[in-house]
Amino acid sequence: DADVTQTPRNRITKTGKRIMLECSQTKGHDRMYWYRQDPGLGLRLIYYSFDVKDINKGEISDGYSVSRQAQAKFSLSLESAIPNQTALYFCATSDVKGGNNQPQHFGDGTRLSIL
Amino acid sequence: RKEVEQDPGPFNVPEGATVAFNCTYSNSASQSFFWYRQDCRKEPKLLMSVYSSGNEDGRFTAQLNRASQYISLLIRDSKLSDSATYLCVVNMRSSNTGKLIFGQGTTLQVKP
């Protein structure tokens, strides 16, 4: 079983729809992240959470919201999807030691297309 | 200036060649560094951490130059299976974040 699981793996939907992407992990890590990846732009951080009560905006949080329901779950919502949110979305987790972020572990990704 | 910069490539090399990638970072307070590998349409996977003293893992060698603020990845005896995008990642530590910043990636194509 994958340590970081994203659902769905692929989604095609229409402009204006509400969409939720889910992420769950079995690694026991406190830190979780949502990224999007676009060709030529690399990975960009949307939101991150260091524990259940902690939510932080990344560099491109507009148009997105998140919920950290439990240590193991971190969901990303698009309240009203628009075509430029078409991208590959990754969830990641990490541990922390001595205040330093340890390497991140990624889910398989969700390919989202907004028509 | 981007916080982490890489030459996107692509680097096209024959099998058996040695190839090196560099990555520069802007924040001198950066504390930890990693190289990730990403195959097409797949998730990034940790290739190796980069230590101050440099480190080697088989055909892969990573080096850190804090004075010039760059890290490098050297791949010897390239294999077809090394074809991928290599992401440079920097830990920009501050008092309450510790975020990882990803470079855009360098694409490597190893040809027969």
Side-chain angles (χ1 to χ4, degrees), chain B residues 36-55:
Chain B
Y36 278 71
R37 171 194 169 124
Q38 186 175 24
D39 293 290
C40 188
R41 296 174 177 261
K42 299 283 189 179
E43 75 276 20
K45 292 184 178 178
L46 179 67
L47 179 65
M48 58 198 309
S49 302
V50 186
Y51 304 122
S52 296
S53 55
N55 49 306

Side-chain angles (χ1 to χ4, degrees), chain A:
Chain A
D1 288 338
D3 293 324
V4 184
T5 303
Q6 290 183 233
T7 56
R9 294 293 311 280
N10 293 281
R11 179 81 183 270
I12 301 172
T13 192
K14 295 182 179 179
T15 297
K17 293 291 187 181
R18 184 178 186 274
I19 301 158
M20 181 180 286
L21 308 184
E22 309 219 28
C23 177
S24 62
Q25 53 123 342
T26 58
K27 300 189 75 67
H29 290 166
D30 285 329
R31 298 187 172 191
M32 297 187 74
Y33 310 80
W34 275 105
Y35 293 89
R36 65 177 280 176
Q37 189 173 37
D38 300 272
L41 294 178
L43 281 160
R44 292 185 292 167
L45 183 63
I46 306 172
Y47 270 97
Y48 61 102
S49 168
F50 284 175
D51 67 37
V52 175
K53 298 176 183 176
D54 180 73
I55 300 290
N56 304 281
K57 292 183 177 180
E59 60 182 297
I60 53 161
S61 58
D62 288 348
Y64 301 94
S65 63
V66 290
S67 174
R68 185 79 185 270
Q69 304 95 319
Q71 188 207 35
K73 296 185 183 295
F74 192 36
S75 59
L76 175 72
S77 294
L78 288 69
E79 295 301 327
S80 179
I82 55 177
N84 74 4
Q85 291 177 312
T86 293
L88 181 57
Y89 289 83
F90 287 107
C91 173
T93 74
S94 72
D95 199 359
V96 60
K97 291 181 181 177
N100 282 324
N101 237 345
Q102 298 304 294
Q104 292 182 1
H105 300 264
F106 287 81
D108 290 341
T110 295
R111 190 164 296 279
L112 181 61
S113 296
I114 314 294
L115 305 179

